[in-house]
Amino acid sequence: MIETVRQAKVGAPDVYRLYSDPSTWSDWGHNAKWARADGPLVEGGTVDVRANYGKGYPCRIRRLGADRALELEARPPLLTVIQTYEVDAKPDGARVRHALELSGPLSGILRLGGAPWFYQRLLDREVEKVIELAAAHSGSGAGMPTSDDAPTAP
């Protein structure tokens, strides 16, 4: 699993608003040209996402934690991609966590080819962008990380 965790001076509801609105995913997501759902997000539902390289994928909502978490599953050829987005309210802001898990026949080749390093950089930027957008929405002008939570990649 590849993940990035940051704590920032933003409201958890402002972060979750971005997760729960697919029309914002292209503003912060590392590989979304656009995303749309036919209605409100629900567990078991699907969001259609067009990747930046032009291919579209249905992403199944595996988990939807009220005001807290969204977990998606995409199945490009020979690969399963699980993307997890979580936010927890903290006294001084929010803890934001994005994780990516790759499995399937192609995942071993991707690991050998440097995918963990590449995706780690993408997740780092993605989390920083979510924090920036959440801060802008709240009007707080905050959004600076409150700690140096180190990203992790096994």
Side-chain angles (χ1 to χ4, degrees), residues 28-93:
W28 56 268
H30 72 269
N31 192 23
K33 188 173 184 92
W34 55 255
R36 59 179 157 247
D38 290 337
L41 302 186
V42 295
E43 279 189 29
T46 302
V47 178
D48 292 316
V49 179
R50 168 91 48 192
N52 287 330
Y53 54 86
K55 179 77 173 122
Y57 297 101
C59 294
R60 186 175 63 85
I61 301 169
R62 291 172 38 123
R63 181 170 59 107
L64 188 64
D67 300 327
R68 177 172 187 285
L70 171 66
E71 187 173 274
L72 302 169
E73 177 183 272
R75 292 185 168 264
L78 303 175
L79 200 58
T80 298
V81 181
I82 307 297
Q83 298 174 89
T84 303
Y85 308 101
E86 296 174 335
V87 61
D88 291 309
K90 298 294 180 188
D92 61 345

Side-chain angles (χ1 to χ4, degrees), residues 33 43 46 55 93 96 109 119 121 140:
K33 188 173 184 92
E43 279 189 29
T46 302
K55 179 77 173 122
V96 179
I109 295 167
Y119 282 114
R121 299 317 170 265
S140 69

Side-chain angles (χ1 to χ4, degrees), residues 1-23:
M1 179 177 309
I2 305 159
E3 69 176 357
T4 295
V5 177
R6 298 280 188 273
Q7 188 154 325
K9 294 181 181 181
V10 296
D14 293 317
V15 173
Y16 188 78
R17 179 189 60 79
L18 295 165
Y19 296 162
S20 64
D21 182 359
S23 72

